[in-house]
Amino acid sequence: MSLSLSIYQRLMGAAHGIAPGLLKRRVQRGKEDAARWREKLGQTDHPRPEGQLVWFHGVSVGESLSVLPVIVALSVERPDLNILITSATTTSADILAKRLPEGVIHQYAPLDTPQAVTGFLDHWRPDLAVFIESDIWPTQLRELTRRGTPHVLLSARITEKTYKGWQRFKGAMRSLLAGYSLIMAQDKASEDRLKAMGVTPGPRANLKTLGTAPPVDSKALTELKKQIGKQFVYFAASTHYGEDSLIAKALEPALWGGDLLILAPRHPIRAGEIRLDLEAMGLKVAQRSKSEPITSQTHVYLADTLGELGLFFSVAGITLMGGSFLESIGGHNPLEAARLGKCVITGPDISNWAGIYADLLDAEGGFRVKGTAELGFLLSQLRQHPEVVKATDKRALEVSRRQADTLDVVWTALEPLLPPKAVKSAHAD
């Protein structure tokens, strides 16, 4: 083991002692699941089912949802296997609860302490571990290698910042990456950086191009359209705190003129703060979680619920994708809107989705602005030219349909690493 890994292991072992207290404080702030926070310590009341088990891990909402098509395919093609998925956030857990196939188990991922990882692996005993994107945890990877458990990194995204950080611990990172049985990069830049670290990647595949359109509840859609009436709707999806006010300010003339802004914050727990900020601007706010109705006097509908993005995309005349108007967030998946035939306006920071946005913008299936002033101008122009939005919507839908073979590529590479099917023995009467 390299010196840096050895030091990391010792530090994480010591950190385990204070982890319960830290998690309890996060529970009090609403950032951890009050009933299940011990899962992050490698402790669970959920029994491990008999038979072979494949473990998937996606740290947050985007990563977890991106692997759902693979999980669905696995549950259909290999019903003999048990499937476990872990994630780190309460938001991802809530959304996965509504989207996972029947029988798939969700747990919170263990902290990367030796004690938590050992407890988790001793209990679940995975036969294959599948990680998504760039969530690389040394203790987990070293312990999986030590146990002889094959592990895979799908849709690997290695940014320039991540790569430069690895250079400080080049030997340790080479050792950890060498333990993977398969690494599939999501784009050429990530593939090149992996090669520079001595990795021979498998076929390239971006899981974020997979998936179906977000679900839309027809009854809820009918009711929402009834409340909206003839108001024109702007929808700001997956906004981060600070973007809400920024977008509302850019839309102030339209909102005072009778249009409606639907805001779906990425973290609904901040809805109270967001509402106060909007009301301080003089805007009238209705909040979905409180069942407050939309009226002709409503300026902003605060959609602080989970799993309903498809509903709001469906009623939107113009859609803005959050996480892109502030620095250091990286944007969110525009394909969620595109699959429902909706183009998006994005801000300057799209680093987490650069490849997909490149395809979308090259095809003129979306809009990107540099700042607030440009955003306000674009919104006013698009409001006056609905035919431009309609044509861009169509191109966005076409782009979302181009990656039909990605699942086949992933399945072909992953299938040889799956646990072999159990052979049923014949017993004479």
Side-chain angles (χ1 to χ4, degrees), residues 269-342:
I269 194 172
R270 289 192 175 274
E273 297 173 65
I274 295 168
R275 180 169 190 161
L276 288 174
D277 290 343
L278 295 172
E279 290 179 337
M281 295 170 60
L283 298 172
K284 294 182 179 179
V285 180
Q287 199 165 336
R288 186 165 181 82
S289 66
K290 295 183 177 181
S291 300
E292 296 173 350
I294 299 170
T295 71
S296 60
Q297 303 303 310
T298 303
H299 298 122
V300 181
Y301 189 49
L302 188 52
D304 56 335
T305 53
L306 294 171
E308 293 192 302
L309 285 182
L311 176 65
F312 306 122
F313 285 133
S314 297
V315 298
I318 294 175
T319 296
L320 302 92
M321 186 57 68
S324 61
F325 297 95
L326 302 174
E327 294 182 359
S328 304
I329 297 172
H332 292 299
N333 189 358
L335 294 180
E336 291 182 325
R339 290 184 183 117
L340 285 170
K342 301 288 182 175

Side-chain angles (χ1 to χ4, degrees), residues 138-152:
T139 305
Q140 292 181 20
L141 297 181
R142 288 194 65 255
E143 187 60 19
L144 287 169
T145 299
R146 189 188 71 79
R147 294 175 183 231
T149 305
H151 44 286
V152 171

Side-chain angles (χ1 to χ4, degrees), residues 39 41-43 55 84 86 107-110 115-126 147:
E39 291 175 13
L41 300 176
Q43 304 168 14
W55 167 33
L84 167 72
T86 59
Q107 293 279 283
Y108 286 106
Q115 300 93 325
V117 170
T118 298
F120 177 88
L121 294 177
D122 283 350
H123 179 80
W124 292 106
R125 305 186 309 280
R147 294 175 183 231

Side-chain angles (χ1 to χ4, degrees), residues 100-401:
L100 286 174
E102 185 177 355
V104 176
I105 303 165
H106 174 269
Q107 293 279 283
Y108 286 106
L111 301 175
D112 204 45
T113 68
Q115 300 93 325
V117 170
T118 298
F120 177 88
L121 294 177
D122 283 350
H123 179 80
W124 292 106
R125 305 186 309 280
D127 297 279
L128 172 67
V130 181
F131 298 92
I132 314 303
E133 291 204 13
S134 56
D135 204 34
I136 295 174
W137 293 102
T139 305
Q140 292 181 20
L141 297 181
R142 288 194 65 255
E143 187 60 19
L144 287 169
T145 299
R146 189 188 71 79
R147 294 175 183 231
T149 305
H151 44 286
V152 171
L153 182 60
L154 297 183
S155 201
R157 183 176 66 88
I158 315 301
T159 65
E160 183 64 22
K161 182 179 179 181
T162 298
Y163 177 71
K164 287 180 179 178
W166 285 1
Q167 301 309 299
R168 296 161 55 196
F169 309 100
K170 188 178 290 187
M173 290 310 304
R174 282 182 181 270
S175 172
L176 293 173
L177 293 172
Y180 284 106
S181 303
L182 169 69
I183 298 180
M184 301 179 75
Q186 68 173 238
D187 52 42
K188 187 177 186 303
S190 294
E191 187 175 71
D192 290 343
R193 291 171 188 134
L194 286 165
K195 288 179 179 178
M197 291 295 294
V199 173
T200 302
R204 202 183 305 163
N206 188 345
L207 291 180
K208 288 174 178 174
T209 64
L210 295 175
T212 57
V216 180
D217 184 294
S218 58
K219 184 177 179 180
L221 180 60
T222 299
E223 174 58 29
L224 185 60
K225 285 182 175 179
K226 182 180 178 182
Q227 289 188 39
I228 292 170
K230 295 182 179 180
Q231 284 180 286
F232 183 86
V233 176
Y234 301 87
F235 174 42
S238 298
T239 56
H240 289 250
Y241 189 63
E243 290 184 310
D244 315 281
S245 297
L246 182 155
I247 291 169
K249 286 176 182 176
L251 281 169
E252 269 194 292
L255 300 181
W256 289 115
D259 290 348
L260 175 70
L261 170 62
I262 298 179
L263 272 173
R266 185 72 169 182
H267 304 293
I269 194 172
R270 289 192 175 274
E273 297 173 65
I274 295 168
R275 180 169 190 161
L276 288 174
D277 290 343
L278 295 172
E279 290 179 337
M281 295 170 60
L283 298 172
K284 294 182 179 179
V285 180
Q287 199 165 336
R288 186 165 181 82
S289 66
K290 295 183 177 181
S291 300
E292 296 173 350
I294 299 170
T295 71
S296 60
Q297 303 303 310
T298 303
H299 298 122
V300 181
Y301 189 49
L302 188 52
D304 56 335
T305 53
L306 294 171
E308 293 192 302
L309 285 182
L311 176 65
F312 306 122
F313 285 133
S314 297
V315 298
I318 294 175
T319 296
L320 302 92
M321 186 57 68
S324 61
F325 297 95
L326 302 174
E327 294 182 359
S328 304
I329 297 172
H332 292 299
N333 189 358
L335 294 180
E336 291 182 325
R339 290 184 183 117
L340 285 170
K342 301 288 182 175
C343 67
V344 302
I345 300 172
T346 181
D349 186 6
I350 53 175
S351 54
N352 288 347
W353 301 84
I356 289 174
Y357 268 112
D359 291 343
L360 203 60
L361 296 173
D362 286 348
E364 298 183 350
F367 305 92
R368 186 183 186 188
V369 297
K370 296 178 181 178
T372 307
E374 191 173 325
L375 174 62
F377 176 76
L378 176 62
L379 287 167
S380 66
Q381 290 297 302
L382 294 179
R383 180 70 172 92
Q384 297 172 47
H385 298 282
E387 73 281 0
V388 174
V389 178
K390 186 176 180 180
T392 312
D393 285 344
K394 183 178 179 180
R395 290 191 289 268
L397 180 62
E398 290 170 354
V399 171
S400 75
R401 291 172 171 169

